[in-house]
Amino acid sequence: GGSYSSDLVKGRCTHLVAINTTSSKYAHASKWEGVCVVDKGWLQACIEEGQRVDEAEFPVEGSAQFARRRDSTQKKENSSAEATQDFETIAGQLVPWDNPYMLNTRLYLHDFEDNSNEALRVQRIVRHAGAG
């Protein structure tokens, strides 16, 4: 199933979940073939839709892709209501155990504080979405 990696390793990690573009990890991963660099909103969208969604829809703030997508993203956010439930709760309700849509996905969380509540929640969600 899906897993969390404490190290960003070329050839092992499939995704870098990043908050900004200011580190060497972002610089390297964005050049590596086979690694998608996404904003943390990508993970929430996967959970809400019950499938792995298009990574191109979730560029990291500060990236060239972010600048191009900013207007269309703002329109989407303005047209849809914010979810009031915690996305960990939503993940538990929406992910059927026989549909591991994050299968073979290995994430590295960039700029999340080690053992912060947010990082631990994301790890639990990824494991749940990748269980199979």
Side-chain angles (χ1 to χ4, degrees):
S3 62
Y4 159 75
S5 175
S6 59
D7 297 308
L8 179 63
V9 180
K10 186 176 182 179
R12 287 188 54 204
C13 290
T14 60
H15 291 75
L16 170 66
V17 179
I19 295 172
N20 61 53
T21 61
T22 60
S23 75
S24 61
K25 289 186 190 299
Y26 175 87
H28 289 292
S30 63
K31 294 176 187 173
W32 293 347
E33 187 174 324
V35 176
C36 296
V37 181
V38 294
D39 177 78
K40 64 183 178 178
W42 172 79
L43 183 58
Q44 184 170 353
C46 290
I47 292 162
E48 290 172 354
E49 294 189 27
Q51 62 183 343
R52 199 161 142 181
V53 298
D54 184 5
E55 289 89 348
E57 297 289 321
F58 297 90
V60 178
E61 186 172 351
S63 67
Q65 296 86 354
F66 180 82
R68 287 192 296 270
R69 303 261 332 137
R70 182 178 15 218
D71 290 336
S72 65
T73 301
Q74 287 175 344
K75 288 176 187 174
K76 285 181 186 179
E77 287 175 357
N78 292 337
S79 67
S80 65
E82 289 285 327
T84 57
Q85 273 188 306
D86 178 288
F87 77 105
E88 186 173 3
T89 303
I90 293 168
Q93 295 169 350
L94 296 180
V95 181
W97 288 103
D98 61 345
N99 182 21
Y101 59 86
M102 298 289 283
L103 188 65
N104 298 322
T105 301
R106 188 173 184 92
L107 301 177
Y108 176 84
L109 304 176
H110 175 61
D111 271 359
F112 285 75
E113 291 182 32
D114 289 340
N115 297 317
S116 69
N117 287 337
E118 185 176 31
L120 295 173
R121 286 178 56 220
V122 170
Q123 291 173 36
R124 285 192 302 271
I125 290 164
V126 170
R127 287 184 187 116
H128 181 78

